[in-house]
Amino acid sequence: MNELQQADAVPAKAPPTGRYWLMWLVLLALQLVNLGSSYLPLGAFNVVVNVGISIVKALLVMAVFMHLSSASPVMRLAAGVGFFFLAVLIGLSLGDYMTRP
Amino acid sequence: MTTIAAEGAPSYISAGYTLRSWLTTRDHKRIALLYGVSILFFFLVAAAAAAMIRLELLTPAGDLVDDDTYNKLFTVHGVVMVWFFLIPSIPSTFGNFLIPLMIGAKDVAFPRLNLASWYIYTLGGLFVVVTLIAGGVDTGWTFYTPYTTMFSNSHVILAVTGVFIVGFSSIFTGLNFIVTVHQMRAPGMTWFRLPLFVWAHYATSLVMVLATPVLAMTLALIAIERLLGVGIFDPALGGDPLLFQHLFWFYSHPAVYIMILPAMGVVSEVITCFSRKPVFGYQFMVYSLLAIAAVGFMVWGHHMFVSGQSMYAGMVFSLLSFLVAIPSAIKVFNWTATLYKGSVRFDAPMLYALGFIGLFMMGGITGIWLAALAADVHLTDTYFVVAHFHYIMVGGAVMAFFSALHFWWPKVTGRLYPDGWARAGAIVMFVGFNLTFFPQYIAGYLGMPRRYHVYPPEFQVLNVLSSGGAVVLGVGYLLPLLYLWWSLRRGRLAGANPWGATGLEWQTPSPPPTYNFASAPRVEGPPYAYQAGGTDGR
Amino acid sequence: MAAEGTSAMAASHFADAEQRETAATFGMWIFLATEVLFFGVLFAGYTVSRVQHAEAFILAGRHTDVLLGSINTAVLLTSSLTMALAVRAGSVGWRRSCAAWLVLTAVLGVAFLAIKGYEWHEDWLQGLVPGLRFAYSGPDAPGVELFFFLYFVMTGLHALHLTIGILVIAVMALLAARGRFSAAYHTPIVLTGLYWHFIDVVWIFLYPLFYLVSRS
């Protein structure tokens, strides 16, 4: 009856290692893109690109290395809820700083 | 009424009588009692500070203590009451004791973490005691910068370390409850069969787990800034003291919900039991609890309307604060609707619960005033605010704590207390509370600022009333201590279910055996299967 | 069979081993959510400070070592790979392989700390440590000091977490080599893995915020 047990974080069989190695290469490639892009004169968009790529990398790490891609919805919710309320904290605080006279 | 546990199984109390058996226990019920004793100690410490404050305020002149001492008194009162009594009060004692019982589990998910949380609490408490012995702290419980980081000459670092540490006990308790509710429910105990007490603690735990780390890191930044002389709150560097207020209230506003949500859980259980009716609108009650917890994270800026925060941010925070009133009001309506046409009995737990509803409503509605931008400019930093949050925290959370204490005392100890004394105690507490804090609304509305020990003579009548009320309130707190202590040895044996209540915790003997149930209970219906007019719902 | 080698961990209040492992994993995720907000305060502080001192942060951003920072990022990403392989080996009960990948992960973690320590040392020599040794006297000095305050607090807290992670991994490697884990019971390794990957995720965000500001 427990909704958490439907999809366990670690399957009983060993998953093939291929996707881990692939993910490693993708992450390193993204890091190079991140590094390279920061030398392009994009103005304010440098930080957008930098943080955007970081978000993609973080999602990949969580999905593959932390097994969220095969985890139950409740587990994913637990993983996401902290980021959601961090966004609330930063968003509403910035709302103050951006609208001050 | 059948009890599930086998006859003669030893109770959790008789599982061991040595000090060691208590200090190394992993039984959630024993840990709950450890917490109970600890929070009683800190309640008395903070209450003593409150007594000094009220004594000082009897006269307009500052004749009992000097300004510095007065600052330290209200700081100690706030810090200890908030973090060492109110935050752990209902969750760590009744939550710990009852959640596994109510969901039909043998224990919480992580019993060792549960015990660890008590030791962490004790360590944090030790820091506070050392702070007091060393000479106290004078910043107010809010630790506002730049006073804390640059100017205060009191023991700020010791105090924030204590609060930092105690935060982790709160995080671990919350974590434990969340996993317990997800993972340990008995067969048939679906989400919408959970008692509202459990739902309330689930919502509370979310707040504990998500808000407390923000407080911890913010206080750590204060300590670092004090030590190094630089930091992000330091205006000399272009840092922003207001950022501290944002971060502090991101925790400390939801912290109010850590206090009030468990209280709402208690009141829901008590009202339904003593009305002999199922809770009105059960699902709405659940959604309201979750909505209060979630929206409660988005309203913190209403503490900062006059701080220099942007006017537009103030408008948004004001609007969001009004939104929280909706689920809160739904709860009050549903409690009232539960009473409607019920067979209402006025036992002591019910008297406390009814007191809660009235006082919480007063506190809530004055909260709406304070959340209105224009009104807040007039009322902020006056006694109106002090009265408002005492109506929520003391009138709400503490009344509910006593309601819980009287409702589950027979379950925890196996004994009944003298009913007449208990009802008298509830009434004394209600009267004393209102006498103490209602005059503060008036004084604040007339402009008396908070946190001063000297005040203009025209406020003396109100302050004398308030101090007189505090004496009555003190009697209201002492009475239960006396008759509950008496009941431990002399009280009649309670039996498994003295109130004829539904809920799994009443189906095991009082006091319950170590693993709660002799065999895993199976749940086959919704909670609160009461029938109006009957004496026994099952 | 689930109880093999787990008697110390076995808690009679769980219905079965699967429930225990799921509860532990779920608990770890909740703990990581609190960590997100624990670090989150600093990220919020960074965001607000950067919005208020955009120019100073651009100046200050030129004083971090982008080469070492990038190498360190690669080191940490690689350690996440080895950690994932360790968890996988543990989940099928290959205890030697599991221990070996764990040791390699810990070694990468130590390498990261060594590089980070060297960077901090360089910052110290250049007088970029707020409160202790801050000698920067160019334009926007207060804002630059704010940047480096955040830099030290955030990388310092990250390094503290990393150190704890290395110690835990060392213990896990030892236990794995001694055969304490099996295909049926390897929850501690799974939890260690989650914690380690989380540290990696934090660094993934620290990297652009401190090393890639104002390179263009």
Side-chain angles (χ1 to χ4, degrees):
Chain A
M1 61 150 283
N2 275 313
E3 74 285 0
L4 288 174
Q5 289 170 359
Q6 289 162 6
D8 206 344
V10 182
K13 295 193 293 282
T17 56
R19 55 196 300 241
Y20 291 154
W21 290 95
L22 180 68
M23 194 44 56
W24 178 58
L25 291 176
V26 169
L27 287 169
L28 289 182
L30 281 172
Q31 191 207 334
L32 284 177
V33 175
N34 212 351
L35 178 63
S37 79
S38 63
Y39 285 91
L40 299 175
L42 300 177
F45 281 97
N46 274 118
V47 65
V48 177
V49 173
N50 280 339
V51 175
I53 292 177
S54 296
I55 289 174
V56 172
K57 280 164 75 180
L59 286 175
L60 288 175
V61 168
M62 296 208 295
V64 177
F65 288 156
M66 298 170 95
H67 305 291
L68 276 189
S69 60
S70 60
S72 65
V74 177
M75 212 72 94
R76 289 184 208 176
L77 199 65
V81 69
F83 292 100
F84 173 77
F85 282 103
L86 176 57
V88 170
L89 170 62
I90 295 179
L92 282 174
S93 302
L94 267 191
D96 170 21
Y97 288 94
M98 306 290 254
T99 57
R100 283 195 197 166
Chain B
M1 177 58 59
T2 55
T3 53
I4 292 176
E7 296 296 318
S11 80
Y12 75 99
I13 295 172
S14 55
Y17 292 101
T18 59
L19 188 62
R20 188 188 149 86
S21 78
W22 280 91
L23 294 181
T24 58
T25 184
R26 292 183 206 160
D27 186 336
H28 64 103
K29 301 182 287 301
R30 290 184 150 226
I31 295 169
L33 291 199
L34 289 177
Y35 263 115
V37 172
S38 317
I39 66 168
L40 177 66
F41 169 76
F42 284 105
F43 178 78
L44 294 175
V45 169
M52 295 282 284
I53 292 169
R54 281 322 319 168
L55 203 57
E56 164 64 60
L57 291 175
L58 263 179
T59 60
D63 32 24
L64 178 65
V65 293
D66 60 23
D67 345 11
D68 277 340
T69 312
Y70 186 77
N71 290 349
K72 287 175 181 172
L73 281 175
F74 70 66
T75 305
V76 165
H77 174 68
V79 167
V80 175
M81 276 296 187
V82 168
W83 283 297
F84 294 88
F85 176 70
L86 285 166
I87 295 278
S89 61
I90 297 177
S92 297
T93 54
F94 294 106
N96 233 336
F97 196 99
L98 293 166
I99 287 173
L101 282 165
M102 285 182 166
I103 65 174
K106 290 177 179 166
D107 206 322
V108 293
F110 309 116
R112 270 185 291 197
L113 189 67
N114 199 11
L115 181 63
S117 88
W118 179 73
Y119 277 102
I120 293 169
Y121 171 90
T122 309
L123 181 66
L126 213 58
F127 269 87
V128 166
V129 170
V130 171
T131 309
L132 289 181
I133 294 170
V137 57
D138 67 350
T139 61
W141 78 280
T142 48
F143 296 119
Y144 268 14
T145 56
Y147 184 67
T148 28
T149 47
M150 299 169 77
F151 303 110
S152 173
N153 290 317
S154 56
H155 299 275
V156 175
I157 292 184
L158 266 180
V160 298
T161 309
V163 177
F164 179 92
I165 293 171
V166 85
F168 285 90
S169 108
S170 177
I171 289 173
F172 291 152
T173 301
L175 194 158
N176 226 332
F177 287 173
I178 292 175
V179 179
T180 304
V181 174
H182 271 277
Q183 280 287 292
M184 313 295 284
R185 283 172 285 130
M189 181 59 92
T190 58
W191 280 96
F192 282 110
R193 287 178 182 173
L194 285 174
L196 288 171
F197 181 88
V198 176
W199 267 113
H201 277 79
Y202 184 76
T204 307
S205 303
L206 290 176
V207 182
M208 284 175 154
V209 157
L210 294 169
T212 317
V214 173
L215 174 79
M217 181 49 75
T218 307
L219 294 182
L221 284 173
I222 284 199
I224 294 172
E225 191 160 336
R226 234 180 123 80
L227 284 172
L228 294 181
V230 291
I232 53 171
F233 308 133
D234 182 356
L237 288 188
D240 188 2
L242 265 198
L243 180 59
F244 172 82
Q245 298 189 18
H246 276 298
L247 297 171
F248 179 82
W249 289 114
F250 181 84
Y251 165 81
S252 292
H253 190 78
V256 178
Y257 299 116
I258 298 179
M259 304 168 195
I260 207 70
L261 287 171
M264 290 172 163
V266 169
V267 169
S268 301
E269 299 293 320
V270 171
I271 297 262
T272 178
C273 174
F274 292 99
S275 312
R276 301 276 128 205
K277 270 182 67 193
V279 170
F280 181 86
Y282 170 87
Q283 292 210 1
F284 266 92
M285 295 297 255
V286 171
Y287 294 134
S288 303
L289 288 168
L290 295 175
I292 292 171
V295 182
F297 273 101
M298 302 171 193
V299 303
W300 77 82
H302 64 220
H303 295 268
M304 302 164 60
F305 285 158
V306 297
S307 67
Q309 175 184 245
S310 132
M311 185 178 64
Y312 302 101
M315 290 175 187
V316 172
F317 280 124
S318 175
L319 184 71
L320 288 168
S321 307
F322 291 158
L323 286 185
V324 183
I326 297 171
S328 311
I330 289 177
K331 300 202 76 72
V332 174
F333 294 147
N334 284 6
W335 289 320
T336 331
T338 307
L339 292 170
Y340 180 67
K341 287 194 174 172
S343 318
V344 180
R345 279 178 49 182
F346 295 99
D347 293 274
M350 185 65 158
L351 290 180
Y352 281 109
L354 293 173
F356 168 95
I357 296 180
L359 300 179
F360 171 74
M361 223 168 63
M362 281 282 293
I365 286 180
T366 49
I368 298 284
W369 298 20
L370 290 167
L373 273 169
D376 185 63
V377 173
H378 172 62
L379 296 172
T380 199
D381 276 340
T382 68
Y383 262 86
F384 192 87
V385 176
V386 176
H388 154 67
F389 70 71
H390 279 90
Y391 264 74
I392 297 289
M393 294 179 181
V394 187
V398 178
M399 286 298 258
F401 180 83
F402 277 93
S403 179
L405 189 63
H406 287 83
F407 190 51
W408 284 292
W409 183 262
K411 180 52 62 184
V412 174
T413 64
R415 300 280 179 164
L416 291 170
Y417 47 81
D419 196 46
W421 282 99
R423 291 184 206 208
I427 291 165
V428 169
M429 201 181 289
F430 184 81
V431 171
F433 175 84
N434 280 296
L435 193 53
T436 310
F437 291 104
F438 197 82
Q440 297 187 7
Y441 273 130
I442 302 170
Y445 197 83
L446 295 176
M448 178 171 166
R450 62 192 286 205
R451 293 187 169 174
Y452 288 89
H453 73 317
V454 179
Y455 57 87
E458 64 258 39
F459 294 124
Q460 189 171 12
V461 175
L462 293 168
N463 275 290
V464 170
L465 279 176
S466 182
S467 294
V471 175
V472 181
L473 188 57
V475 172
Y477 289 144
L478 280 178
L479 267 179
L481 277 187
L482 297 177
Y483 61 74
L484 290 178
W485 182 259
W486 177 90
S487 80
L488 278 179
R489 295 224 171 271
R490 307 278 179 89
R492 277 190 298 121
L493 289 178
N497 191 358
W499 311 116
T502 65
L504 289 177
E505 81 267 32
W506 301 107
Q507 297 187 25
T508 191
S510 311
T514 298
Y515 277 121
N516 297 344
F517 302 98
S519 59
R522 176 169 288 279
V523 182
E524 266 139 22
Y528 313 122
Y530 291 106
Q531 278 140 17
T535 51
D536 186 356
R538 292 258 159 174
Chain C
M1 70 163 279
E4 274 295 311
T6 68
S7 52
M9 294 290 291
S12 52
H13 62 289
F14 283 113
D16 53 41
E18 192 193 348
Q19 187 193 25
R20 189 177 59 214
E21 169 157 339
T22 316
T25 313
F26 187 53
M28 191 66 191
W29 273 110
I30 301 284
F31 176 71
L32 294 183
T34 74
E35 286 273 43
V36 167
L37 282 145
F38 195 61
F39 277 98
V41 169
L42 299 172
F43 281 98
Y46 177 95
T47 312
V48 167
S49 303
R50 182 159 172 180
V51 165
Q52 292 194 311
H53 304 277
E55 295 298 312
F57 271 49
I58 287 176
L59 288 171
R62 300 212 172 105
H63 291 273
T64 52
D65 193 326
V66 68
L67 177 66
L68 291 181
S70 303
I71 292 175
N72 248 354
T73 310
V75 168
L76 215 49
L77 288 175
T78 310
S79 81
S80 255
L81 169 73
T82 57
M83 187 73 229
L85 292 171
V87 172
R88 176 186 167 276
S91 73
V92 281
W94 300 342
R95 57 188 223 213
R96 285 219 158 144
S97 163
C98 176
W101 285 119
L102 283 172
V103 168
L104 188 54
T105 310
V107 167
L108 286 168
V110 171
F112 177 96
L113 283 182
I115 295 172
K116 194 72 229 148
Y118 175 78
E119 269 185 81
W120 283 337
H121 181 65
E122 290 293 301
D123 296 329
W124 176 264
L125 293 182
Q126 290 177 41
L128 290 173
V129 188
L132 298 175
R133 184 178 163 128
F134 195 75
Y136 177 90
S137 56
D140 273 332
V144 171
E145 195 169 356
L146 215 55
F147 176 92
F148 276 97
F149 175 79
L150 285 161
Y151 165 80
F152 276 99
V153 172
M154 292 171 89
T155 56
L157 184 68
H158 178 263
L160 178 67
H161 277 77
L162 201 74
T163 310
I164 294 168
I166 291 168
L167 293 175
V168 173
I169 287 178
V171 172
M172 289 301 150
L174 205 66
L175 293 178
R178 285 188 183 170
R180 285 286 298 278
F181 303 120
S182 61
Y185 175 72
H186 53 274
T187 313
I189 296 180
V190 175
L191 301 188
T192 311
L194 288 176
Y195 178 73
W196 189 260
H197 296 307
F198 172 77
I199 299 171
D200 191 17
V201 167
V202 172
W203 184 262
I204 284 174
F205 287 99
L206 292 181
Y207 173 62
L209 295 188
F210 288 112
Y211 293 95
L212 300 184
V213 189
S214 70
R215 294 293 163 195
S216 60

